[in-house]
Amino acid sequence: MVIKAVKGVKDILPGDTAKWRMLEKKARSVFRRFGYREIVLPIFEKSEVFIKGVGETTDIVQKEMYTFADQGNESLTLRPEGTASCVRAYIEHSMYHPQGAVTPLFYFGPMFRRERPQKGRFRQFFQIGAELFGIGEPTADAEVIHLLTLLLKEAGIKEQKLFINSLGCGDCRPEFKKGLVEYLSGKKESLCDNCKERYKANPLRVIDCKSESCAKVIADAPTIDKYWCGDCRTHFTSVRENLKTLGLEFELNLKMVRGLDYYNRTVFEVIGENLGAQNSIAGGGRYDSLVKDSGGPSVPAIGFAIGVERLISSIGDSLKGEDESPDVYIVHQGKDALAQAFKIAGGLRELGIKTACLYKQTSIKKQIANAGKSGAGVCVILGENEISRNIATVKDLSTGEQEECPLSKINDAVKALRIKRWSGKG
């Protein structure tokens, strides 16, 4: 019986990995321009990192985490998102020193959630994430959003829909929750079973619920803007002004709360096309209390995460990977020629030249045909005639021109021909 991959987990085959690597390359380029440094996070953490960070009443914690006990009976969880892990690392390694330090970080990697697999949603999925610690000014919000939209643009998302909202703060959001609970209490019977249980403890999750019944109830629910305190209103006004200064178009979505409990004030989301129901490519927001709630000092922070699979699906074939074709293809015939081909291939590779060589005895004609199909620019031919005279034939596959070369000079000949072709003189 053939063993297949776990449902909701997929292989990334060689034909696609070039796109993934190119996306990472573009992302790193944008992150460098904004001064972000890479952090590599563990794939699993102590479960409390996510229970405390993401929130006990979220769907992630209640339904979706892959949690297990190790041999020491310690509860561990495969990371379902990157922010809580990044906050743990930030605190553990005292990255808030010196006092008032601004710490911009980014990361790549797989996340794990046991959800129902569908288009754009997998049980193992990859994210590009960024977190900015140590600055609470609204200019930081606009700059992080600019970073996100620029990264998506350079990756190939030319047309973006950016939605923003403010969830208020610890002073004004409790009043909003109170008003929302009062409204939902009168509509309880119309809520989905899950929201009937949680609407009092966490009414924001009802706003974020994807069921049709809850969406109808929320359509006429009170909105957060009626409850913003003066500071939150001023902060969000400044965020919008800064986005306009940068020339970024956005839409205000007062029903957007994001799916995690740690967000406050500015939240945002970028929508992509051709992704069906799961059309959110990226999203994030401010989380000014999470560092302190996780055991660290009071440090403001903001960040985002990009779903790599959704992003690549939205981009399609417009994202091209680097050319993986060989520079040189070595053709050989006979035992002595095979030995020379093996030696020459090793030498060229040490020089940084991508070299292909099939170490099977097939006809010269077939091997030359394979060389042409491979995309190689140069073909080195080692037939019986060449070996008897201690030479090789070096052929430019783009022009058909060829010349003979002593075996001792083959590296120089190949390098010279490559330089000639690169310079456009061939």
Side-chain angles (χ1 to χ4, degrees), residues 327 347-355 418:
D327 298 315
L348 292 174
R349 288 163 181 161
E350 288 190 9
L351 292 173
I353 298 173
K354 294 182 290 182
T355 305
R418 289 174 75 237

Side-chain angles (χ1 to χ4, degrees), residues 8-10 113 115 117-118 120-125 309:
V9 176
K10 69 172 188 175
R113 297 182 195 173
E115 301 179 275
Q118 52 188 297
R121 190 181 287 272
F122 304 95
R123 289 177 174 173
Q124 175 180 295
F125 56 98
E309 287 89 348

Side-chain angles (χ1 to χ4, degrees), residues 412-424:
D412 293 336
V414 169
K415 286 194 294 183
L417 183 54
R418 289 174 75 237
I419 292 171
K420 180 180 177 182
R421 295 180 69 247
W422 289 340
S423 65

Side-chain angles (χ1 to χ4, degrees), residues 29-158:
S29 172
V30 176
F31 282 132
R32 281 196 298 270
R33 288 177 237 168
F34 285 77
Y36 281 65
R37 297 184 299 164
E38 185 172 8
I39 183 170
V40 179
L41 300 166
I43 287 180
F44 60 91
E45 301 266 8
K46 295 179 180 179
S47 299
E48 62 191 283
V49 168
F50 305 112
I51 295 173
K52 183 183 293 186
V54 176
E56 291 188 50
T57 59
T58 59
D59 285 345
I60 292 175
V61 171
Q62 290 187 340
K63 302 177 181 179
E64 299 168 1
M65 293 201 315
Y66 281 103
T67 298
F68 60 95
D70 69 359
Q71 289 88 336
N73 206 32
E74 183 171 35
S75 179
L76 304 176
T77 296
L78 296 177
R79 65 183 183 204
E81 59 99 53
T83 299
S85 286
C86 205
V87 168
R88 190 270 312 150
Y90 175 79
I91 296 170
E92 182 175 344
H93 301 288
S94 302
M95 300 175 75
Y96 42 83
H97 288 311
Q99 188 173 7
V102 176
T103 308
L105 304 170
F106 73 91
Y107 51 86
F108 299 87
M111 310 292 165
F112 305 86
R113 297 182 195 173
R114 198 185 190 286
E115 301 179 275
R116 181 172 65 85
Q118 52 188 297
K119 185 177 181 180
R121 190 181 287 272
F122 304 95
R123 289 177 174 173
Q124 175 180 295
F125 56 98
F126 288 76
Q127 287 187 345
I128 300 171
E131 317 291 348
L132 176 62
F133 297 95
I135 183 167
E137 282 71 17
T139 47
D141 301 31
E143 182 178 275
V144 167
I145 293 172
H146 184 212
L147 164 59
L148 170 60
T149 56
L150 181 61
L151 194 163
L152 294 176
K153 179 181 178 181
E154 298 207 359
I157 304 294
K158 305 303 181 185

